[in-house]
Amino acid sequence: MVATLPSDLALFASFAFYRLVHRFAERPNPSLARLSAVIRATSTLHSSVTTILAAYYLYRCRKEWAAVGSPGTDGPTMNSIASSGDAAYVWQEAAGTAGLGARYPDDSKNPLLQSRSTLGNAITAIECGYLLQDTISLLREAGARRCLAHPGSQSTLRSLLQYADKTLLFHHVGIAFALLVLHLYIHQDRERGIYIIVQFLLMNSSTPILNLRWWLRTYRPTSRLLCLIADSAFVAAFYLARIWLVGWIIRGYGKSHGYESAWKIYVEGMRLPCQLGTGALWVANTAWWALLVMSVVKRMPADLARAGRAMHVKKG
């Protein structure tokens, strides 16, 4: 059984730390502009930290698995004998099915899904604590916007939602709820797929560039060339961290059962709930990426023209 206390501490410490950061950073002028800047700054800090932690955890797991005998290059099934450690597994080649006529590969001893980790659980708890706190901050930001529009009137949840970034808010609420359910599973000693879940946390790696883009367009709107570079960097980062990453994770799971193609394991070897979940995530991220690309391309001629004029004025 994996200890649950580190996960509990990580969740509460994460929530408390980011709450304190907000309280101190917003002083002495808790304006809407300052609150928005603090939200983006803590978002950048958190996404950078969790990306580093996730990368370290994934690297450590792979290194420890390899130390006890990694599978061959042909990608045999990664069946294993689990121990009480974070990643102490013995690789065994197996057929990869639950028996004659089985519909899906056998994952009962696949470390990608069955591995248990105190560190992995703590990383998901840190993410959960941050999302809970940031949800509060987003509602406070919406309340500040509402007060500017309707000073003196009383706020309700419905009125706050009118001025909130609904996409970001519901994204936070949905993932935080899922991670709270995972935390409950950890307490019941039933958590599975921590390695895969931490892989998905690598999506945070695109957030610092998103916030840099926001900062440039908010505080340096005349620096058109820098804004254009940030736009292009974010288009690339979003694609790698939120679209390509999904296929990479699926392909990694497929290789544990001898599949080299992400599409083939997705169609032939993944259960329907997994297909629906990963498919919906990939489609949603691809749609957002397409809208982002169209927005950047639409602004590009004007940004290039203004950047050219600014350079001409400086030379003159």
Side-chain angles (χ1 to χ4, degrees), residues 1-14 117-126 183-189 191:
M1 179 176 178
V2 175
T4 60
L5 181 60
S7 298
D8 295 335
L9 291 175
L11 195 158
F12 290 115
S14 175
S117 170
T118 301
L119 175 59
N121 291 348
I123 293 171
T124 64
I126 291 171
H183 198 70
L184 176 63
Y185 274 51
I186 291 171
H187 271 268
Q188 296 174 348
D189 203 28
E191 78 275 13

Side-chain angles (χ1 to χ4, degrees), residues 2 21 35 46 50 75 99 102 112 120 153 210 249 264 275 292 295-296 301-302 312:
V2 175
V21 167
L35 177 58
H46 171 77
T50 51
L112 295 182
S153 59
L210 167 65
I249 293 172
K264 192 171 183 179
Q275 288 178 328
L292 171 66
S295 173
V296 171
H312 180 73

